[in-house]
């Protein structure tokens, strides 16, 4: 049984949404990943959103682009947290997706991450689940310590090499 649902409007969203999946895998969290278009197959979408809670999902990560109604409509039906991931778009640079997802009416929140923010969506889901899971919280603390260590290492390298010889 999957704890997190990852759903996206198109396979063109897969590269970004895979980042969320990678994070969940890193933390050992089961997920179910689907491509479901709220606009092109509303019947399939409604069935997904209506049954997600009874299938054991605690959080849904929903990614979409353009007139991105998938996350908001998930939040309208699924009673637990929904994290929205706005996709970059060629016409409007992803602002269309961002505004569609973040500007929810009062009462129906979507926790919206940055444009293309698949990894942070995964991490936010882990943090939500860690509220009631101390082993997950320990893993998150280690994750944060590793991030810090990586920055410290870069700073030491910069001091050692100087900016001219620094290579990423
Ligand atoms: C949205 O429209 C999808 O989430 C995708 O980001 C965007 C474009 O979809 P495709 O035309 O690439 O299928 O529904």
């Amino acid at each position: 049984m999957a704890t997190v649902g990852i759903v996206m409007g198109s396979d063109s969203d897969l590269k970004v949404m895979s980042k969320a999946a990678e994070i969940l895998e890193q933390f050992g969290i089961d997920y179910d990943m689907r491509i479901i278009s709220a606009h092109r197959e509303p019947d399939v979408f409604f069935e997904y959103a209506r049954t997600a809670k009874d299938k054991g999902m605690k959080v849904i990560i929903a990614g979409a682009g353009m007139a991105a109604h998938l996350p908001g409509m998930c939040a309208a039906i699924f009673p637990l947290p929904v994290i929205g991931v706005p996709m970059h778009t060629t016409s409007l640079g992803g602002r269309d997706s961002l505004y569609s997802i973040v500007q929810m009416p009062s009462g129906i929140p979507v926790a919206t991450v940055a444009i293309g923010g698949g990894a942070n969506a995964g991490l936010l889901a882990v943090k939500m689940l860690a509220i009631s899971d101390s082993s997950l919280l320990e893993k998150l603390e280690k994750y944060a310590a590793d991030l810090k260590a990586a920055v410290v290492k870069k700073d030491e390298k910069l001091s050692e090499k100087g900016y001219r010889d620094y290579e990423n």
Side-chain angles (χ1 to χ4, degrees), residues 20-116:
E22 282 166 17
I23 291 284
L24 296 178
E25 284 167 18
Q26 211 174 315
F27 282 87
I29 296 169
D30 287 339
Y31 63 87
D32 165 82
M33 193 183 231
R34 301 280 308 273
I35 297 167
I36 300 175
S37 171
H39 294 132
R40 293 167 177 155
E41 45 173 9
D43 52 336
V44 176
F45 164 73
F46 278 113
E47 178 67 11
Y48 173 82
R50 274 200 200 113
T51 56
K53 179 179 68 89
D54 291 342
K55 286 181 180 157
M57 289 179 201
K58 305 284 184 228
V59 182
I60 290 178
I61 302 172
M66 303 168 76
H69 296 127
L70 181 70
M73 284 306 293
C74 278
I77 297 168
F78 179 68
L80 292 167
V82 174
I83 300 168
V85 187
M87 296 298 148
H88 183 267
T89 58
T90 46
S91 47
L92 295 172
R95 289 172 195 81
D96 42 355
S97 323
L98 174 65
Y99 293 162
S100 301
I101 295 175
V102 80
Q103 288 292 82
M104 288 298 291
S106 180
I108 316 289
V110 171
T112 308
V113 297
I115 297 167

Side-chain angles (χ1 to χ4, degrees), residues 119-135:
N120 266 0
L123 276 167
L124 198 51
V126 176
K127 289 186 176 216
M128 287 169 180
L129 297 170
I131 290 170
S132 57
D133 184 334
S134 56
S135 70

